[in-house]
Each structure stands twice: as C-alpha cells, then as structure tokens.
Amino acid sequence: MGYKQEFERYYLLHINPGHIHKSKNEHEKAIFTLSSALSMIVAEENAIYQATKVIEERKKNKEQSDTFFDILNEK
C-alpha cells in the first residue's frame, strides 16, 4: 500500500515468521522492528486524519460565519 520505505529496516533483517531456524532474539528484534514501523504509520495516518478534520471544521465555521454576516448585511 505504498509503505515499502517504512518497512525497510524490517526487510533488511531477512527474517519472517516461517524462519524457524532463527533464534528467539532474532524473531523478537524483527517483531519490534515491524511493530515500530506499524506504529509510525498509524500515528502519521492519525495526524493526517486529525489535520483534515480541523481544516474541514474551520471551513464549516467560516461558511457559517459568512452566512451570518450576509444576513446582517441584508438588513
């Protein structure tokens, strides 16, 4: 989904769940590396979502205030 760069550190470990010959420590490092990348993506997506909500709310408030001033100017 376009997140290859974020998982680069994980890919460089050359380990996946099917590598049963790898040590527990190697698997643990891979899991923490993967979870770190996932956490960063979720945080970034959440920040984008929150920023979009703020922008939409500001637009909505501006439209409402513009309508209010239009009504005042009509009188």
Side-chain angles (χ1 to χ4, degrees):
M1 294 182 68
Y3 291 110
K4 187 173 182 176
Q5 182 179 352
E6 286 81 351
F7 295 113
E8 189 67 29
R9 288 180 50 220
Y10 173 73
Y11 295 135
L12 290 173
L13 295 174
H14 301 289
I15 187 169
N16 67 47
H19 289 145
I20 59 173
H21 61 282
K22 300 278 185 167
S23 71
K24 179 180 177 180
N25 287 339
E26 290 173 302
H27 280 283
E28 197 171 86
K29 181 177 180 178
I31 289 169
F32 283 120
T33 302
L34 184 59
S35 64
S36 175
L38 290 169
S39 296
M40 288 189 313
I41 290 169
V42 168
E44 182 179 306
E45 291 291 327
N46 186 47
I48 292 169
Y49 173 76
Q50 293 298 329
T52 303
K53 268 180 65 174
V54 167
I55 291 168
E56 288 173 357
E57 189 65 30
R58 286 182 180 170
K59 283 182 183 177
K60 180 181 167 188
N61 290 340
K62 183 177 179 343
E63 289 170 2
Q64 288 175 351
S65 66
D66 287 348
T67 303
F68 176 74
F69 288 117
D70 289 341
I71 292 170
L72 286 178
N73 288 333
E74 289 176 3
K75 291 182 178 183

